Amino acid sequence: MQKVNPFLQSALQEVPRLLGNIDRNPLSKTYGAADRAYWLYRTNTINSARYQEAIFTLALLYTRPFEGNVWHRHRELGEWIRAMARFTITLQQSDGSFDEWYPHEGSFVCTAFVTAALAESVRAVPELFSDIPIEAVLRKSATWLMAHNEKEVCNQLAGAITALELVAQITKEKAFAEAAQNKFEQLRMLQSTEGWWPEYGGPDIGYLTLTIEYLSRYWELTKDVRAREALDRAIVFVSYFLTPDGTAGGECFARNTEYVIPSGFARMASVNDDAHRVAAYCEQILNEGAGITPRVLDDRYTCYMLSNWLHAGLLYTPRTCAAPQPITMFFSHAGVFVEHNEKRMIVCNVKKGGSFRIYHDVRRVVDAGMAIRQGQKILSAQVLGSTGEYTGEKLIICGNFVHMKTRTMTPLVYVVLFVFQFTVGRIPMVQRFLKQTLRRVLIRMRGASRTVYMRTISLLPTSVVIEDEVAVTEGEVLIGERGVFALVPSTRYELVSQPHILTAKESRVEEKGTIRITRTFNT
């Protein structure tokens, strides 16, 4: 029997919440559905297929004995796994795809991740699926993945690679393995020489750890040397950005995520010292009750991601590892600067409005970039698109503010969307057009204003001085805010334990339509 470690303990604590998302009534028409808002609240018109990824968490609980796991070979759990599989089959579209957000979406990420979760479950407990036509479902979704691609959001491409390889090993069909290899070659070519893969134009640490998780599974399945080399580069990049508060990334990166998915690092820990350091960091924040852990995930992402902490616990073995050395680095392709030593840690993205984080002792400051409030209008620098440089002593950033809007779903938009999707929205070309439109409106958020800004960050031995200059004649200039607008679902969680705030000495000068703000943080 394997003893409980922090990863397993944190996952076990959330199992009741996970099970509460699943319809476990065998007399129900939605028996096995995992989207509680669909089958119980009746507020969703579709069951988002991604909730069904929870089947992999249940399969791990069912098959792996460890201390505290009362679900090992539990009869009812086996029936719920079977029910989830049967219900998932009903969600597959005729073309082989699955939908996440709206009907006839043809979601690449949903199809890739659900296929991977189903395939892993079949591999774990094939006897539970003996009378369920799950292999036909996997063939159909894998065939759809072969014909579609995703190069803008690389974690999704990594998921498709693993899904295709898993289906290839289950079905023994070489075509799926060849497709996985082809997509891996695309992913390999998309990797920056700095080690990261793009997420809407720049690196994002949380999603990069998800890419590492899927690619490490592909490497485990194939032992492809090129996958190992790509993983090594990505892992060392992540290792530079582990912060004292248990987060990594945040507003300084493309999609604002702050979590670290541990399972890929636990899988690679025996062959990569940097992976072991990241896994040990994840273990430490669980022990300290810090960071973004399963405890603070919402129900949706508990269904998606709980298996990652459970799998990390089953894979990870603690061992002695050398401490990381102090670093000062500027990644020019990413536009990201990092300094980390025994006194302080600084992270800044010169391509994202000069957004930065500073850590000193147990205190921190988070600045997502400048903003201006003009009545009901909001202008923000918190998007990729600024330009900047690192001189060795300073970071200099300039750019244009972008118009921001907070959008919510209205009844009219809801009705129009559904009528559209059940008519012309079924057409593949229209599916792709709608997806790109939604990404542009909700995530990329272009639309630069004429209002310009300049931010200079002076890196002094015992302090950091931030000088902001904004050419504006009206409105309120806001600094030091964490506010973000891009609709990225796996963001805006709250830390388990809040750090203290690092305060600054501040001065403001207004003259001739220009506002200059200077802040000094002693470090």
Side-chain angles (χ1 to χ4, degrees), residues 6 24 27 42 66 75 101 157 183 204 241 278 283 287 294 312 316 332 400 421 437 452 493 515:
R24 290 161 289 150
L27 301 179
R42 315 293 170 89
F66 55 87
R75 182 185 62 80
W101 296 106
L157 182 57
K183 289 188 185 300
D204 182 85
F241 300 102
V278 179
E283 179 187 26
N287 286 327
Y316 178 61
S332 58
N400 291 70
Q421 283 305 107
T437 299
V452 299
Y493 296 119
I515 298 176

Side-chain angles (χ1 to χ4, degrees), residues 24-297:
R24 290 161 289 150
N25 178 4
L27 301 179
S28 171
K29 291 182 179 180
T30 54
Y31 183 36
D35 186 345
R36 188 179 174 92
Y38 172 74
W39 65 263
L40 182 61
Y41 300 150
R42 315 293 170 89
T43 53
N44 285 359
T45 57
I46 68 167
N47 186 107
S48 172
R50 285 210 58 194
Y51 280 94
Q52 304 304 114
E53 291 177 53
I55 193 174
F56 184 34
T57 301
L58 302 192
L60 288 173
L61 290 169
Y62 185 82
T63 58
R64 305 296 287 271
F66 55 87
E67 187 175 325
N69 181 19
V70 299
W71 298 104
H72 178 239
R73 297 295 171 180
H74 192 285
R75 182 185 62 80
E76 281 191 316
L77 185 64
E79 288 302 315
W80 298 334
I81 291 171
R82 287 166 52 78
M84 288 193 71
R86 286 193 295 263
F87 186 79
T88 305
I89 290 173
T90 70
L91 300 178
Q92 189 172 43
Q93 297 292 332
S94 59
D95 63 359
S97 67
F98 289 95
D99 298 333
E100 181 178 9
W101 296 106
Y102 51 86
H104 303 293
E105 178 186 1
S107 170
F108 186 88
V109 59
C110 189
T111 306
F113 290 6
V114 170
T115 300
L118 285 174
E120 289 279 25
S121 302
V122 170
R123 278 166 34 97
V125 276
E127 65 273 17
L128 293 182
F129 301 90
S130 59
D131 61 341
I132 299 174
I134 201 71
E135 189 170 311
V137 171
L138 294 175
R139 289 175 185 271
K140 198 172 182 180
S141 60
T143 300
W144 187 91
L145 287 170
M146 288 174 63
H148 294 79
N149 215 349
E150 175 58 71
K151 294 184 179 181
E152 197 169 13
V153 192
C154 284
N155 77 86
Q156 300 178 12
L157 182 57
I161 292 165
T162 297
L164 285 164
E165 181 59 35
L166 285 166
V167 177
Q169 297 203 10
I170 290 171
T171 64
K172 310 301 182 186
E173 290 195 18
K174 291 183 179 180
F176 296 139
E178 291 172 356
Q181 292 173 7
N182 292 336
K183 289 188 185 300
F184 168 69
E185 184 61 27
Q186 295 170 11
L187 183 69
R188 192 173 72 87
M189 297 302 293
L190 288 169
Q191 187 177 28
S192 166
T193 55
E194 296 170 346
W196 51 273
W197 279 282
E199 297 283 331
Y200 293 115
D204 182 85
I205 299 299
Y207 280 109
L208 180 54
T209 67
L210 182 57
T211 302
I212 290 169
E213 152 62 10
Y214 277 113
L215 190 57
S216 70
R217 284 158 66 177
Y218 177 72
W219 171 78
E220 188 176 54
L221 291 165
T222 64
K223 299 304 179 186
D224 189 319
V225 174
R226 299 172 306 159
R228 168 69 190 280
E229 293 170 349
L231 282 164
D232 288 345
R233 291 191 292 270
I235 289 167
V236 71
F237 183 81
V238 170
S239 71
Y240 293 135
F241 300 102
L242 307 177
T243 66
D245 63 10
T247 64
E251 300 81 1
C252 297
F253 289 83
R255 300 184 69 184
N256 308 311
T257 60
E258 297 180 272
Y259 53 78
V260 180
I261 293 176
S263 44
F265 302 99
R267 185 174 291 106
M268 303 301 296
S270 63
V271 296
N272 183 301
D273 282 347
D274 289 310
H276 185 272
R277 273 191 284 269
V278 179
Y281 170 84
C282 295
E283 179 187 26
Q284 177 184 343
I285 65 176
L286 286 170
N287 286 327
E288 294 177 352
I292 306 296
T293 66
R295 173 180 167 186
V296 301
L297 297 177

Side-chain angles (χ1 to χ4, degrees), residues 337-355:
F337 170 84
V338 58
E339 176 189 284
H340 198 176
N341 54 45
E342 66 280 1
K343 293 182 179 180
R344 68 190 187 188
M345 180 174 186
I346 303 167
V347 182
C348 176
N349 192 334
V350 303
K351 293 186 177 181
K352 199 177 180 189
S355 50

